[in-house]
Every structure is written in C-alpha cells, then in structure tokens.
Amino acid sequence: MASPTSTNPAHAHFESFLQAQLCQDVLSSFQELCGALGLEPGGGLPQYHKIKNQLNYWSAKSLWTKLDKRAGQPVYQQGRACTSTKCLVVGAGPCGLRVAVELALLGARVVLVEKRTKFSRHNVLHLWPFTIHDLRALGAKKFYGRFCTGTLDHISIRQLQLLLLKVALLLGVEIHWGVTFTGLQPPSRKGSGWRAQLQPNPPAQLANYEFDVLISAAGGKFVPEGFKVREMRGKLAIGITANFVNGRTVEETQVPEISGVARIYNQSFFQSLLKATGIDLENIVYYKDDTHYFVMTAKKQCLLRLGVLRQDWPDTDRLLGSANVVPEALQRFAREAADFATHGKLGKLEFAQDAHGQPDVSAFDFTSMMRAESSVRVQERHGARLLLGLVGDCLVEPFWPLGTGVARGFLAAFDAAWMVKRWAEGAESLEVLAERESLYQLLSQTSPENMHRNVAQYGLDPATRYPNLNLRAVTPNQVRDLYDVLAKEPVQRNGDKTDTGMPVTGSAGTQEELLRWCQEQTAGYPGVHVSDLSSSWADGLALCALVHRLQPDLLEPSELQGLGALEATAWALKVAEHELGITPVVSAQAMVAGSDPLGLIAYLSHFHSAFKSAAHSPGPVSQASPGTSSAVLFLGKLQRTLQRSRAKENAEDAGGKKLRLEMEAETPSTEVPPDPEPGVPLTPPSQHQEASAGDLCALCGEHLYVLERLCVDGHFFHRSCFRCHTCEATLWPGGYERHPGDGHFYCLQHLPQPDHKEEGSDGGPESPELPTPSENSMPPGLSTPTASQEGAGPVPDPSQPTRRRIRLSSPERQRLSSLNLTPDPEMEPPPKPPRSCSALARHALESSFVGWGLPVQSPQALVAMGKEEEESPFSSEEEEEEDVPLDSDVEQALQTFAKTSGTMNNYPTWRRTLLRRAKEEEMKRFCKAQTIQRRLNEIEAALRELEAEGVKLELALRRQSSSPEQQKKLWVGQLLQLVDKKNSLVAEEAELMITVQELNLEEKQWQLDQELRGYMNQEETLKTAADRQAEDQVLRKLVDLVNQRDALIRFQEERRLSELALGTGAQG
C-alpha cells in the first residue's frame, strides 16, 4: 500500500500520535487527528469505531487488530454492558487510566480529571507477567517500541501513562487537564444527580456533569470522604530514588541491571560499599529504562554522618523536609552509591530533570503504609445512588521493594470495573459491595505464583485471574455499613482479627487455669507440691519436674541429687531454653527468692501455651506441640553453633594455622547422651555465671518490666537496647554475635574482624555453620541419618589422621562442575580422592546453580533445539514480542548444559532467555527478602506497642496493692494475654529469620560458584600457587555451604513431618 502521508493527511497525524513522547504532544496530535477526521474527542466507543473505519492502512490495522481482540471478549458485550452508566475517574496515574480504559470498553461514558498538566515521573515499575501480556494486548509495542526488551521486565511511570493515555483517547475517554477534584456535590432535589466540586474554574460542561460512579485514583494522600484508612507501621525506613540521563551509548547498554540486592542475605556487598564510600544501605535496585533508575533504602545514621540530613528529628516529616535535606549531599550520596553498584561502568552520571527542572533525586519515607479499610461505598441522596470505588495508591499504598504496585493496581482496576458492570446489570446493591470486598481481601495475597498460570486468559471476570475464588467470603450483611442510607449496625467484618484465646477482660479463671495445668503436669514427682505460682517453685524441683514431664530424656531426676535450689533452677532454665525453645523472662535468683511473681507467671504461661494440648496422663509429651516454636529452638542452636565456630576459628587463626582444602571426619561426641545440645552444660552453672535478678537491663541499667525482657546469653536486655554497636540496627536471632574482645554485640556485617585474619576470608560471621537437627527435634516415631552418616562419610580408622586433604586438579574440577565425570581418554586421570570426599564435592558442585539438582543432559539435546530454532524463524510481530517458551525439561537441559563455559554463546536466543529467567529468579529472591524485612519491621513496631501496654499493666499490679482481688486477677489475665501475643510474634519472627538463612545460603552459593568458575576457566599452566590455594579454599567453602543447606532442609523436613504427625493425631 502507498505511504501513509501520500494519500491521507490524517495518516501523518496518527503516526505523530503513536510516536509522541510528551503528554502535550499526545494531546495536540490527537486533537489534530480528530479535526482531520471531523470528530470530537471524548465520544466513547462510537468515536473509536469511526477512527478505525477512516484509518485502515497497514500500520493502523495492526493496532486495531489488538484493540478489537480485547473489545471482542464476551464480558464487554460488544460495548453495550454499561451504556447507561456515567463515570468520573479522578487521577490520570497508571491505575486511573487503566480503569478508564476498561470502563470505556464496557460502553460507559467516562470522564477523567487530572490536576497535573504533564507526565514527568521517571521512576520505574516492575511488571508481572500478566501486566506485560495485558499491555501488549493494548498495543504497547506500537506506542513504545522498547517495551520489555531488556533482561528485566519494567517500564517507567511516564511511559506507562503515555501508552495508557493513548489507548484511553482512542476509546473515547473524555480527559480534562489541570482540574483538581475537591469533593462531591450531592443532589439538591429529587431527579438531580451527583456532581463534582472542581477547581479552578472548570468548563461548564464538566461542572454540570452528573455521574453515578466515582472511581478515585488520586493517590494515597487523597481518599474520598467516608472511607477509613488503616496505617501499617514499621520502623523508620528512608528510601532514595535517583534518575540519571541514559545516553544509550554502547557502554551503557552493556552495564547489567540489578534486579535487587538486599543486605538481609548479601551482607558482603554492603560491607564493601560501606568501606569504600561510607554509605550504609539496606538494599539497592537498578533498572535501565528511559533513565538509569536507582532506588535504595538508606540508614538514618549514615545520612546524618554524611551530611545529607542536617539534624536528627523524631518527626519523620520534619526529618525529611526540604529544610533538613542538603540537596548537594543527597546528590553526591546517590551518585556514589550508583557508581559503586555498577562498578563505575556508566561513566559520568548526570541527573535527569524532574518536573521542576531540578535534579531528579529525592528522599522519601515509607515507614508506614496506608491501606483503606474498604474498597467501595454507596451514597444515596434524594433517590440518586452513587457508587464510589478506590484503586491505586488511595486503596493500598504499595511497598516499593516488592515490585507489586502496578500489578496489584491493575488487578484492583479490573475488580473495580467488574463491580461497575455488576452494578449496571442491576445486581442487588449489597451483593455488589460484598463481592467487591471479597475480592479486596485477596489483593494483598496475590503474587505471580498464586494466580492462574495462563495469563492469556485474564480478563475482567475475576474467575479468570484468581484460583479458588470465593465471591461470598464477605456477606451482604457485613457490608451494610458501606451503604450510608441504611440503618447502621455495628457489624464485625470478615477480615477483622479476633482473639480466640484469653479474653480481653482477663476472666478470673485465667490464673487458676495456669495453676491447675502446672499441678497436673508435676503430679506424682517426689518432693514436688505445687500450690501456688510463687513459693512452690523456689526449690527448683517443680520446674525440673515440669521440664522432665514434657521431655523425659532431657533431665533425669537422679542428676539433681545434691544440687541446691539455685543450681537446679538454673539447670532447668537452660535446658528449657536450649531444648524446648522456652526463653527465660525471669532469672534463677528471682525464682528462688520469689521476688518476681509476675515474671514467673509469664514464664510458666509460655509452657502452658506451648504444651497445653498435652494429655494429662503420665508419659512423654511430643515436643512438636502446636504452640512450640521449633524455629525459635532452631535459631537458638544456630546462634550457639555460630559462637562456637567463631571461637574455634579465632583459636586456630591465633595458632597460625593456614586455611586449606580438607574434610574433617566426624569424631564421636564427647557429650554424654541423651543430651544432644553441647551448649547445655552437664554440670550446673555456678552462681556467678547466672544473670542478675533480671529486673535491670544489662546494657543501659534501667528497669526491665516483664514484657520488655529479652534474654541473650543469660543476660536480660531491652529490645530497644539490643542493637548493633556500630550501626544500631535491630539484632535478630541468628544474625548477630558478641565480640570476645570488647564484649559488645554486632550484626554480622559490622562484626570486627581480627587483624590477623586474611582480608579475603569468607569463613567468618557471614557463613555460620548450621546446627544439625537433634533427635529431640524429631517427631515421635521418626528418625533421620546422623550427621556422620550424611556429612563427612564413614568414621576413619583410628590409626589415620582425622584430617585428609583433597587434591583435585583443574581438569577434574572442570569435569565436576559440568557434571561430566567421564575422563578424557587421552589424558591420564589425576590421583583419585577418597570416595566420600569426591561425592561431597560432586554434590556441592551439582547444587551450585539456580535450579539445583538438575539432571545431566547430553549436548545433542541442545543441538537439536538449536536446529529447531534455525528452522522455525519468527515471522510475525506478535511472535517477536513474546519470550521463547520453555517447558520444564527443555529449561533444565539448557541450565545444565550452560555449565560448560562458552557453549551457550552459540545459541543466542536460548542464552537470552536463560538470562531473563536468571534475572527473574534474582528478582523473586529480592522481593521475598524485602517482604520478610518489612514484616520484621512491623513485628518490631507491634512488640514495642505490646511492651508499652505491658508496662502500664505491670505498674498497676505492683502499685495498686489495695485494689480488689478481682481487679488484680483482671490485670493478670490481660498481662498473660499480652505475653501470649508477644510469644506468637517472636515465633513468627524466628520463622522469618529461618527463611532469611535460606536466602543467605542461596546467595552465597551463587557467589562461590561464580568465583570457582573464574578459577577453573583459567589455563592450568598460568595459575600461580596462590591461585590454586584460593581455588581450594573456594571449593571447600562450597562443600561446607551445601552441608549447611542440607542441615536447613533436614530441619524443615522434620518440622513438616512433625506437623503431619500432629495432624494425623488430631484426626485420630
């Protein structure tokens, strides 16, 4: 066909419209296009059909094909589903424009108002697979040719708004710029409708526009009147975004993007950053889009130290206000962090300009996330009903490190449009509200993994997107309060949390219930008579009996003969902590003296909540009780193992021993069975080893109330005091260590290293050795191989040394890494290492890639795939847009064969696909880590609130000695309820930290693999002795790391089996 410009002037306007990259250019070119076609913008779907009929040349037809395919879905009823519905959408952000497009496809009249006059946000959004498919189906590649062409799937907010704006204009959405929505104007009389209060001076047509649906997408700071917002707080979190000019040079295109690096699992990167620049970060992300986009979380103390913040203020708004931020220091901070993260390969970094012509760098606070309590309301005046819905940030403020903002925003937009369709169909009002609220409950739980896999089937109908959908999760009766003309009765919402344990009022039977339970558990033990929750526990026998009752193999009554009350109590406290996961909140001295009855009650309540389901009959109780936190127990053992390994390493280094590649054969334990935990002393601790009375913080010396107590190494601290001595970060279980020199506690990143240690050594605090799960942590009736069976192989002959060196040549390591264990027939095989060590090394290297444990595939499989690729070239634009699909077997073959260096360079398409898959895996790990980090921060904030409530109750109990007995029981019940909530939060915290350990090991394994592969790819003749020694060290670390992951996997499997056993027992 002839060139577009040669026959019809409208073709040129249409091409300008497609390629426009500024908001004003889009609007002006579309106005010119409509003028050339004799149309008025904002005419709804009829306008779209008129444009399509007049622009029928090849370039336009490819776009019409996509839009017609979308509009042809049955749910839209060919644009007649909502023809009598008038909608007002507030906000032209991505979510506002996306819902406007859906409403237009339904046939509704859609008017959109936006207070801004241009799109200037360069910040980049991560895209989920369904959002990519959705935008492609709307013609994203026609409007933005670079859409999703990199190794990471993302798009700048500005580009996303531009392409959605173009679609909305084509579909007949009426858009007004520079107009601010300030509120609603109710109908003045019967027969009139709802209008909007707009500023400044809206056109008469817009001011008189009456609508029956309002969708607010105006951002988190504007929520329409009537909606309640809930705040989800964490600890202080300061984000910094920076956009640098992308010159699109060859050098810039070769710099890899960073899908996300989090300190929670990659401490070495941030330690290097801190040493090189003085910058202390929690995470960093780099996307290459219209700009070089960096976003990071910075620590407040670092910003103060580097002069970015002038002064420390407790109020966050004042802390990050423009008067307290030094622009030049902030720019220097962002530039140095970006330069370090990209190894300086981006050259001279020049800031892009923001909407005000200033460098596009800013600091923002995301300490608290706002979430609307409901997503929809209905208002009725004089018989005129108005349906109000929320989408975007005013519904749920996204947590940026998760990359969920636009994805969940689009889901909410689809759900809101579905709600409007149901409303237009005449469904009963409360049914519509209940369905929308049921969908809203699913929103925060969505992820690419738990939604329907076939993204091509996604549509407006929620059933196409959400598996196991229940649209009646919220009942109509529960949303009566969302319809403001109905009689409002307090109705408990389905999502509200209720406490099913101890009543808030603290019934009089709570303390008595605890006493009765303790009496039942200690009944039958000689010399034990529990009559109260104070003096009956002074001799230590009652506590020892309770521990023995719950785990008979941990404590033998005969071992207590000859021990005093203090020694017996200290023994029982330590055994309960190390083997049952019951952390002390009271010291042995206080128990013996009876000076802390509230602390004793709180401590015993932990036993009760953990083991209250135990049978009253005599006999051992399974440790795998529903209330027992196996994660707390595991992390406690991990922490003690870390301390022992560090002490051992320091002792070895001090003796001048060199690191070498060797495997230690396990020697029989010197511990006397059945005690599996070396940290539990077999002789009772002396009195001077015990902590003080427990009512004073070991760091600040201030008074400790029961809810505030955190026990570490036998000492009690405030949680707020127990922080890293260097960075003041909160110390979590398994993530800290006490320095033997100065006695301070440090996070693993800032733990001072001994001067005599090699700088490159990585066997320190960053690689803690995981404890092998003990027999006592197993479910009843189950057994696992011992550590000696699974770890270091058979016990060596006593005449042989306990250490044996592995001597592996470079060719042998190359074969091990590629999983090709058949030696070259022309090459003389190297000395064969001991069988058990060889198996360990092979197992380690097999597990050193993303997708561990993949089967070995032959080269012929990849060659065959390459031939198929050559024989089936892509022939259409649609095929070029999609990623190369890989089934699981093909992907496994590719990943396994990719271990051979240089092979994948012969297959660029497959190589590009694998790179994208690898980046996606990195992104998933980063998002998972950030989810954990955010939840840990929320738990910390919740614990602070519980502590404050506990202090008030404890003060009331200690001071009001003249209060009625009933009132005291009430307060004690409330205190025990807070203790139970605290224990639940601590258990959840421990579960999260175990996941952190898993992420940490995955990251270290990947790093070690890269380092080892670099050594193995060197020519053997060019290697120095130092290279060979370093290669041996890396291989040893890799073997150790696999053993640690194996211990963690065994622990998780044991816990899973325990839960299954408990579930079976409950059913029985």
Side-chain angles (χ1 to χ4, degrees):
M1 182 172 289
S3 174
T5 58
S6 62
T7 58
N8 190 339
H11 292 178
H13 296 309
F14 184 70
E15 292 298 323
S16 299
F17 171 73
L18 292 180
Q19 303 303 322
Q21 291 297 300
L22 295 176
C23 181
Q24 293 300 328
D25 293 344
V26 172
L27 297 175
S28 60
S29 60
F30 186 73
Q31 187 72 37
E32 292 170 355
L33 173 64
C34 290
L37 298 177
L39 301 174
E40 188 69 26
L45 273 185
Q47 170 200 287
Y48 164 71
H49 292 297
K50 292 176 182 178
I51 295 177
K52 182 180 67 171
N53 292 334
Q54 297 188 54
L55 296 177
N56 57 2
Y57 66 100
W58 65 269
S59 180
K61 280 184 176 180
S62 61
L63 178 60
W64 307 145
T65 300
K66 290 179 177 295
L67 294 180
D68 285 345
K69 183 178 179 180
R70 178 76 184 196
Q73 293 182 6
V75 70
Y76 301 114
Q77 300 175 17
Q78 296 185 356
R80 293 192 293 269
C82 299
T83 52
S84 60
T85 304
K86 297 180 179 179
C87 305
L88 177 68
V89 178
V90 181
C95 297
L97 288 167
R98 190 65 192 86
V99 74
V101 167
E102 288 301 310
L103 294 175
L105 288 171
L106 287 168
R109 182 186 176 189
V110 185
V111 175
L112 186 148
V113 294
E114 167 59 46
K115 64 180 180 181
R116 298 182 178 89
T117 57
K118 58 183 177 180
F119 297 149
S120 58
R121 290 186 287 175
H122 294 114
N123 292 357
V124 179
L125 300 172
H126 173 244
L127 298 177
W128 288 6
F130 93 85
T131 56
I132 299 171
H133 187 277
D134 177 68
L135 291 171
R136 280 177 172 156
L138 295 177
K141 292 286 283 185
K142 292 292 296 183
F143 301 121
Y144 182 49
R146 295 191 181 95
F147 180 72
C148 287
T149 55
T151 55
L152 290 172
D153 296 323
H154 51 69
I155 188 172
S156 70
I157 297 176
R158 190 181 72 87
Q159 285 291 351
L160 181 56
Q161 287 177 286
L162 283 174
L163 72 87
L164 288 175
L165 171 63
K166 294 174 183 179
V167 176
L169 289 172
L170 288 173
L171 294 178
V173 176
E174 181 181 332
I175 302 179
H176 296 270
W177 301 93
V179 177
T180 302
F181 176 86
T182 59
L184 287 168
Q185 182 178 332
S188 58
R189 64 184 184 279
K190 192 173 183 64
S192 61
W194 291 83
R195 299 180 184 179
Q197 296 177 357
L198 304 169
Q199 291 181 352
N201 302 321
Q205 180 183 0
L206 179 61
N208 296 325
Y209 176 60
E210 296 183 350
F211 48 88
D212 41 29
V213 174
L214 171 68
I215 302 295
S216 176
K221 294 184 178 180
F222 178 80
V223 178
E225 185 179 354
F227 286 91
K228 296 180 180 179
V229 177
R230 183 170 69 251
E231 181 182 26
M232 299 173 289
R233 291 197 63 84
K235 70 174 185 178
L236 178 65
I238 301 175
I240 294 177
T241 60
N243 285 280
F244 299 98
V245 174
N246 185 355
R248 305 191 187 280
T249 63
V250 175
E251 293 77 12
E252 288 176 292
T253 59
Q254 294 176 348
V255 179
E257 297 177 286
I258 302 174
S259 58
V261 184
R263 192 179 71 150
I264 199 170
Y265 64 80
N266 189 351
Q267 298 178 2
S268 59
F269 172 86
F270 295 95
Q271 194 167 14
S272 301
L273 172 64
L274 180 62
K275 290 180 179 179
T277 65
I279 294 175
D280 205 358
L281 299 179
E282 292 282 356
N283 52 47
I284 188 169
V285 173
Y286 162 50
Y287 288 155
K288 192 185 309 176
D289 210 276
D290 281 354
T291 61
H292 296 294
Y293 170 70
F294 291 84
V295 58
M296 61 202 81
T297 303
K299 295 191 174 182
K300 181 181 71 172
Q301 295 301 325
C302 170
L303 295 176
L304 289 167
R305 174 168 45 82
L306 295 179
V308 178
L309 300 178
R310 304 180 192 274
Q311 192 172 348
D312 189 4
W313 297 102
D315 180 65
T316 307
D317 292 336
R318 192 172 183 183
L319 178 70
L320 298 179
S322 58
N324 199 47
V325 176
V326 181
E328 296 78 11
L330 179 60
Q331 295 169 27
R332 183 168 58 251
F333 182 99
R335 185 181 284 111
E336 290 181 2
D339 195 61
F340 180 89
T342 56
H343 306 287
K345 294 181 180 179
L346 289 177
K348 184 178 180 181
L349 293 170
E350 178 183 350
F351 283 101
Q353 302 298 305
D354 62 13
H356 305 288
Q358 299 298 318
D360 194 352
V361 56
S362 63
F364 63 97
D365 165 48
F366 60 100
T367 303
S368 62
M369 300 286 105
M370 309 305 293
R371 176 187 176 91
E373 292 189 358
S374 62
S375 61
V376 62
R377 294 187 64 83
V378 172
Q379 295 187 22
E380 183 175 342
R381 298 290 186 274
H382 298 295
R385 297 185 305 168
L386 176 65
L387 179 66
L388 299 95
L390 304 181
V391 298
D393 289 1
C394 63
L395 180 64
V396 180
E397 281 188 325
F399 182 50
W400 69 262
L402 304 185
T404 60
V406 70
R408 290 179 179 168
F410 276 22
L411 290 174
F414 296 154
D415 295 338
W418 174 259
M419 171 189 69
V420 174
K421 178 180 182 294
R422 296 275 291 137
W423 179 267
E425 290 173 343
E428 203 277 324
S429 300
L430 292 181
E431 285 285 349
V432 174
L433 299 182
E435 283 188 10
R436 179 66 188 98
E437 289 300 285
S438 298
L439 292 172
Y440 183 38
Q441 288 189 350
L442 296 176
L443 187 62
S444 61
Q445 306 168 22
T446 54
S447 69
E449 290 73 31
N450 62 17
M451 297 182 65
H452 280 309
R453 298 295 184 183
N454 185 9
V455 297
Q457 75 174 8
Y458 282 25
L460 209 58
D461 189 342
T464 63
R465 293 175 273 123
Y466 305 114
N468 305 318
L469 178 63
N470 180 14
L471 290 176
R472 298 186 178 276
V474 177
T475 64
N477 187 53
Q478 290 175 294
V479 295
R480 289 169 56 87
D481 58 324
L482 301 182
Y483 202 136
D484 71 351
V485 299
L486 298 179
K488 296 182 180 178
E489 300 176 4
V491 179
Q492 180 178 313
R493 304 294 299 280
N494 191 58
D496 290 348
K497 295 182 178 179
T498 57
D499 296 310
T500 57
M502 299 180 183
V504 178
T505 56
S507 64
T510 300
Q511 196 169 342
E512 285 77 1
E513 179 187 354
L514 177 60
L515 177 59
R516 283 196 303 271
W517 183 83
C518 292
Q519 291 171 338
E520 292 169 354
Q521 301 304 315
T522 58
Y525 285 89
V528 177
H529 302 285
V530 176
S531 59
D532 54 34
L533 296 175
S534 56
S535 59
S536 298
W537 305 82
D539 57 4
L541 296 179
L543 184 59
C544 291
L546 182 60
V547 173
H548 183 267
R549 167 67 180 83
L550 300 174
Q551 278 293 341
D553 55 346
L554 294 182
L555 205 59
E556 287 297 332
S558 60
E559 297 176 349
L560 303 177
Q561 296 178 1
L563 296 183
L566 184 61
E567 289 80 4
T569 302
W571 183 313
L573 285 172
K574 191 169 289 291
V575 170
E577 179 183 8
H578 288 193
E579 299 301 331
L580 294 178
I582 307 293
T583 307
V585 293
V586 62
S587 66
Q589 292 94 329
M591 287 188 66
V592 172
S595 59
D596 191 8
L598 289 179
L600 176 60
I601 292 174
Y603 181 58
L604 294 176
S605 72
H606 197 173
F607 282 92
H608 175 256
S609 62
F611 297 98
K612 59 187 174 184
S613 62
H616 295 167
S617 59
V621 176
S622 167
Q623 181 199 350
S625 176
T628 303
S629 173
S630 54
V632 172
L633 180 62
F634 179 81
L635 283 181
K637 292 188 177 185
L638 172 62
Q639 187 62 40
R640 293 187 291 276
T641 303
L642 170 63
Q643 293 172 346
R644 288 196 302 272
S645 63
R646 285 290 298 161
K648 182 178 178 181
E649 288 175 6
N650 291 336
E652 289 183 355
D653 291 338
K657 294 185 179 181
K658 296 182 180 180
L659 292 172
R660 59 186 181 271
L661 183 63
E662 58 191 6
M663 295 299 300
E664 294 186 27
E666 295 290 336
T667 57
S669 174
T670 58
E671 303 289 346
V672 179
D675 185 6
E677 173 55 57
V680 179
L682 294 178
T683 57
S686 60
Q687 183 170 349
H688 74 273
Q689 290 177 312
E690 269 298 310
S692 59
D695 57 353
L696 295 179
C697 177
L699 286 176
C700 70
E702 297 294 328
H703 185 77
L704 273 172
Y705 294 92
V706 173
L707 264 293
E708 294 179 319
R709 294 175 189 174
L710 174 67
C711 184
V712 178
D713 294 342
H715 299 274
F716 292 95
F717 304 89
H718 292 102
R719 284 182 65 93
S720 57
C721 292
F722 190 62
R723 297 178 178 273
C724 174
H725 183 66
T726 299
C727 67
E728 298 185 0
T730 302
L731 299 178
W732 284 307
Y736 67 88
E737 187 174 347
R738 190 171 192 171
H739 192 269
D742 57 21
H744 293 299
F745 290 94
Y746 295 88
C747 66
L748 298 185
Q749 178 181 355
H750 296 110
L751 180 66
Q753 300 295 315
D755 295 335
H756 56 267
K757 289 202 72 172
E758 297 180 16
E759 187 175 347
S761 174
D762 195 33
E766 298 175 5
S767 302
E769 181 181 337
L770 294 176
T772 302
S774 65
E775 294 178 2
N776 287 317
S777 64
M778 291 287 294
L782 299 173
S783 61
T784 58
T786 61
S788 61
Q789 291 172 332
E790 297 188 6
V795 178
D797 185 81
S799 62
Q800 297 178 352
T802 59
R803 294 176 179 267
R804 293 172 295 186
R805 183 190 301 270
I806 299 177
R807 295 181 176 86
L808 302 179
S809 68
S810 182
E812 184 177 17
R813 293 192 188 96
Q814 183 67 43
R815 287 195 301 277
L816 284 174
S817 68
S818 62
L819 306 184
N820 181 12
L821 302 180
T822 303
D824 191 331
E826 299 180 359
M827 182 179 62
E828 183 179 355
K832 186 176 181 180
R835 182 176 182 182
S836 61
C837 298
S838 175
L840 278 174
R842 184 172 66 251
H843 174 68
L845 289 168
E846 285 176 355
S847 303
S848 62
F849 291 85
V850 178
W852 291 285
L854 297 177
V856 181
Q857 302 287 342
S858 64
Q860 287 77 10
L862 188 61
V863 173
M865 288 184 289
K867 290 181 178 178
E868 292 178 6
E869 175 188 345
E870 295 174 1
E871 294 172 0
S872 303
F874 298 116
S875 58
S876 68
E877 178 188 345
E878 186 67 25
E879 290 176 326
E880 290 177 358
E881 292 175 0
E882 301 293 339
D883 291 339
V884 179
L886 297 179
D887 58 38
S888 58
D889 293 337
V890 172
E891 187 166 0
Q892 286 184 357
L894 286 171
Q895 290 180 338
T896 304
F897 198 74
K899 298 175 185 180
T900 303
S901 177
T903 301
M904 293 306 296
N905 292 331
N906 299 326
Y907 308 96
T909 303
W910 296 116
R911 182 175 182 274
R912 184 169 62 252
T913 302
L914 283 180
L915 286 175
R916 290 178 64 85
R917 294 292 190 274
K919 287 291 185 181
E920 289 171 2
E921 291 300 319
E922 291 178 12
M923 171 65 75
K924 290 179 182 178
R925 185 162 67 248
F926 175 73
C927 292
K928 188 175 183 179
Q930 294 310 117
T931 302
I932 293 172
Q933 182 78 58
R934 178 66 189 182
R935 181 56 188 156
L936 287 172
N937 292 343
E938 291 175 352
I939 289 175
E940 185 179 350
L943 286 172
R944 283 199 301 267
E945 295 177 359
L946 286 179
E947 290 173 0
E949 295 179 34
V951 169
K952 293 179 181 178
L953 280 173
E954 189 172 345
L955 286 174
L957 282 166
R958 294 182 185 277
R959 293 175 180 174
Q960 303 299 326
S961 57
S962 59
S963 299
E965 193 66 25
Q966 187 70 18
Q967 180 63 50
K968 291 181 181 179
K969 291 181 179 180
L970 179 69
W971 286 335
V972 170
Q974 292 175 340
L975 184 66
L976 291 180
Q977 183 189 9
L978 295 180
V979 170
D980 191 52
K981 288 182 178 179
K982 177 184 176 181
N983 291 337
S984 298
L985 289 173
V986 170
E988 183 185 357
E989 182 182 56
E991 296 280 355
L992 294 173
M993 290 308 300
I994 289 206
T995 307
V996 169
Q997 292 294 337
E998 185 178 4
L999 293 172
N1000 196 17
L1001 291 176
E1002 289 179 7
E1003 179 70 18
K1004 291 182 185 304
Q1005 194 166 348
W1006 180 84
Q1007 292 175 356
L1008 286 174
D1009 168 72
Q1010 300 302 310
E1011 188 175 354
L1012 179 61
R1013 200 147 305 283
Y1015 285 118
M1016 291 193 301
N1017 287 338
Q1018 295 180 14
E1019 291 289 340
E1020 185 68 24
T1021 56
L1022 300 179
K1023 291 183 181 179
T1024 64
D1027 291 337
R1028 294 189 178 91
Q1029 184 181 17
E1031 187 177 356
D1032 289 344
Q1033 292 176 13
V1034 174
L1035 184 58
R1036 178 191 179 187
K1037 292 175 186 177
L1038 191 56
V1039 173
D1040 291 342
L1041 204 61
V1042 171
N1043 290 336
Q1044 293 174 37
R1045 290 195 69 219
D1046 182 60
L1048 185 59
I1049 291 171
R1050 287 204 306 272
F1051 161 75
Q1052 293 173 329
E1053 180 64 14
E1054 291 166 7
R1055 184 168 55 177
R1056 185 185 68 83
L1057 294 175
S1058 299
E1059 294 172 352
L1060 287 177
L1062 285 170
T1064 304
Q1067 292 176 0

